[in-house]
Amino acid sequence: MKVLVTGGAGYIGSHTAKALARAGHEPVVFDDLRTGFADNVRWGPLVRAPLDDPAAILNTLSGHAIEAVIHFAASAYVGDSMREPEAYFRNNVANTLSLLEAMLAAGVGTIVFSSSCATYGVPDVTPITEATPLRPVNPYGDTKVMVERMLHWIGQAHGMRWMALRYFNAAGADPDGELGEAHDPETHLVPLAIRAALGGPRLLVFGTDYETPDGTAVRDYVHVSDLANGHVAALDALSGGAPDGCLNLGTGHGHSVREVMAAVERATGRPVPHDLADRRLGDPPVLVADASAAHASVGWQPQYPALDAIVGSAVAWASRPNHVLHEIRGTKPDPRP
């Protein structure tokens, strides 16, 4: 299939474009490059345009004979969403509605949506299943819930096929060394811990008094290539008649902040300089997925579930020539290998 990948020049989107190509599909990346990198687009054409340009979306869908969409393009910083909720509702919800309307106009009837475990908020019980109540605690999570509801009702009304993938903490880098994580600003624990170990800013650990074995927050870290393969599996399953719905993507195993730091120290052979801080408001003590439904529905299971494998791939990416110097100096790192 020809598959439109919105946000395909970003972290997870670019890994998914590569996975699509490996599976025999042709990815067409739609990205305005505000946070993505053109050099990440290597497995199909790039359409450089913003998601708030309905004409550009429609022209791309029609002009490239698109058969399905994988939708990543969104604003994704929780803190920013608290400060500017209106921007998040505009970009993540209103612009997604424009995309869905363009798909209907172009006769494109299948979409895989990049959702998030932020839809669950602070769950009462872990591991988290798809039946866990949706109680987001920030606008970012709320936008993901809103899009899931739009998909449900548009699917009911117009027969659009869809899956929303609620994945947990994306981490790691392409095992082939072609792609990796390059956010500006960086907010994810694994690259921040690696940066600290390699001579960058000290890591800030938020909260050491959680009711967890070592007092730090526990998260389910999923290798980015496994997430990419999950999107391809969902797309192929929809094409094969699988039912619409929402699926968790996670390993089912949680690791604390201190455990991640220890993994980084093993991979780099260096300590992770760090400082301790109070908990952040709304941070749950434990977020771990039950992803058994994804295995049953689309045949997905992680190929790189071990924390050391995830961290090791990220360290290999961050250790490339010039990469660390770019990050320490506070500039965007070169996304090329």
Side-chain angles (χ1 to χ4, degrees):
M1 288 187 287
K2 285 193 172 184
V3 183
L4 186 70
V5 185
T6 70
Y11 176 42
I12 305 175
S14 61
H15 283 79
T16 300
K18 178 176 181 176
L20 283 165
R22 279 188 166 177
H25 303 299
E26 180 182 345
V28 177
V29 169
F30 189 95
D31 200 301
D32 62 10
L33 302 184
R34 284 187 299 172
T35 57
F37 299 92
D39 284 347
N40 283 350
V41 183
R42 309 178 191 183
W43 295 275
L46 166 65
V47 177
R48 184 172 182 176
L51 201 61
D52 62 359
D53 186 342
I57 298 170
L58 186 57
N59 290 339
T60 302
L61 292 170
S62 300
H64 287 271
I66 297 297
E67 299 165 77
V69 173
I70 299 181
H71 180 35
F72 292 100
S75 301
Y77 292 108
V78 169
D80 286 350
S81 79
M82 296 292 286
R83 289 185 291 271
E84 296 184 276
E86 68 281 4
Y88 272 66
F89 291 121
R90 183 180 307 110
N91 191 36
N92 294 6
V93 181
N95 288 347
T96 298
L97 179 58
S98 294
L99 170 66
L100 296 174
E101 289 174 331
M103 289 175 62
L104 292 173
V108 179
T110 303
I111 183 170
V112 177
F113 172 57
S114 167
S115 191
S116 168
C117 65
T119 56
Y120 296 114
V122 183
D124 295 325
V125 178
T126 59
I128 299 166
T129 73
E130 291 80 1
T132 299
L134 303 182
R135 297 181 301 206
V137 295
N138 53 65
Y140 167 68
D142 233 352
T143 64
K144 294 297 187 180
V145 173
M146 290 180 180
V147 172
E148 289 183 6
R149 299 309 299 163
M150 287 198 304
L151 291 170
H152 168 77
W153 291 115
I154 289 175
Q156 290 280 311
H158 302 291
M160 184 176 287
R161 305 299 318 287
W162 64 276
M163 280 193 189
L165 303 182
R166 298 171 181 160
Y167 42 83
F168 285 61
N169 288 53
D174 173 36
D176 298 329
E178 294 185 291
L179 299 164
E181 189 166 10
H183 294 121
D184 183 16
E186 185 57 74
T187 62
H188 291 170
L189 173 61
V190 171
L192 288 174
I194 293 171
R195 186 182 304 182
L198 298 182
R202 295 171 66 86
L203 177 69
L204 198 57
V205 177
F206 293 100
T208 58
D209 58 347
Y210 288 104
E211 293 183 3
T212 59
D214 64 20
T216 62
V218 170
R219 296 291 182 266
D220 190 334
Y221 294 91
V222 193
H223 196 287
V224 64
S225 294
D226 285 329
L227 292 178
N229 291 332
H231 289 78
V232 179
L235 180 65
D236 290 343
L238 285 172
S239 299
D244 305 334
C246 302
L247 295 173
N248 290 338
L249 296 186
T251 67
H253 301 285
H255 299 282
S256 72
V257 173
R258 292 193 188 277
E259 288 175 327
V260 171
M261 292 167 58
V264 170
E265 290 175 346
R266 288 193 295 273
T268 61
R270 303 180 184 184
V272 176
H274 62 280
D275 296 310
L276 305 180
D278 293 336
R279 301 184 190 187
R280 292 179 296 195
L281 185 64
D283 267 357
V286 178
L287 287 175
V288 176
D290 179 338
S292 57
H295 178 65
S297 179
V298 305
W300 178 85
Q301 58 185 16
Q303 300 302 303
Y304 307 98
L307 181 62
D308 281 336
I310 295 169
V311 169
S313 67
V315 168
W317 170 257
S319 300
R320 297 166 306 127
N322 297 325
H323 181 90
V324 175
L325 290 177
H326 276 285
E327 294 201 324
I328 291 172
R329 291 169 183 161
T331 59
K332 276 193 177 183
D334 187 339
R336 295 167 295 186

